[in-house]
């Protein structure tokens, strides 16, 4: 028999989402310099833009604040879209385990999570 202690409360769920959102925002706001527990990956098409253009893209991702129900339905600030030099780009933050082999056992805990930001052209999705 389940009791209220066995199921997460709405408040616990909201706190968990807020923690994930905060950690994702901290990661993004540190771009382009990231530390332990964070990685950035760009696809070959984005890499072909060159380092100057990639720096502009990273700055746009860093300062992105266009979150809403359409692109952030779970409130985790883990996805965005932007236009750059005639290209529609998507960025996505995924939470993996420390070894980047599986999903994180707890995305709210930086000690067991590696956040990976991937930037790709929309047509690569």
């Amino acid at each position: 028999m389940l009791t209220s202690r066995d199921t997460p409360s709405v408040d616990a769920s909201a706190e968990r989402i807020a923690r994930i959102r905060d950690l994702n925002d901290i990661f993004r706001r540190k771009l382009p310099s990231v530390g332990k527990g964070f990685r950035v990956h760009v696809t070959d098409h984005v890499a072909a833009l060159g380092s100057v253009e990639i720096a502009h893209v990273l700055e746009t991702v860093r300062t992105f604040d266009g979150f809403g129900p359409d692109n952030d339905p779970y409130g985790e600030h883990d996805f965005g879209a932007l236009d750059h030099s005639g290209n529609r780009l998507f960025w996505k933050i995924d939470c993996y385990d420390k070894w980047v082999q599986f999903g994180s056992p707890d995305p709210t805990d930086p000690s067991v999570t590696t956040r990976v930001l991937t930037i790709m052209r929309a047509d690569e999705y």
Side-chain angles (χ1 to χ4, degrees):
M1 176 173 156
L2 291 176
T3 67
S4 62
R5 291 184 62 210
D6 297 323
T7 57
S9 70
V10 172
D11 288 341
S13 179
E15 287 175 16
R16 177 178 171 77
I17 290 168
R19 176 73 174 144
I20 292 169
R21 178 178 54 245
D22 291 347
L23 290 167
N24 287 341
D25 285 344
I26 288 167
F27 172 26
R28 278 188 318 101
R29 291 179 182 140
K30 288 183 178 183
L31 292 171
S33 58
V34 296
K36 184 179 179 186
F38 304 101
R39 293 185 184 183
V40 177
H41 174 77
V42 297
T43 61
D44 289 341
H45 287 104
V46 174
L49 295 172
S51 60
V52 171
E53 293 300 311
I54 291 172
H56 290 294
V57 170
L58 288 173
E59 177 63 16
T60 303
V61 172
R62 187 182 73 76
T63 60
F64 185 86
D65 66 355
F67 297 105
D70 291 339
N71 69 348
D72 192 29
Y74 301 107
E76 295 179 350
H77 290 191
D78 61 353
F79 175 84
L82 57 112
D83 293 309
H84 182 79
S85 298
N87 293 300
R88 183 74 167 161
L89 303 179
F90 292 157
W91 60 265
K92 175 77 172 96
I93 297 173
D94 292 297
C95 297
Y96 292 94
D97 64 11
K98 287 173 41 174
W99 303 275
V100 193
Q101 292 182 307
F102 304 103
S104 172
D106 182 1
T108 67
D109 183 353
S111 72
V112 298
T113 302
T114 298
R115 281 180 158 68
V116 177
L117 170 71
T118 303
I119 303 171
M120 69 189 86
R121 282 193 339 206
D123 62 355
E124 295 178 290
Y125 184 71

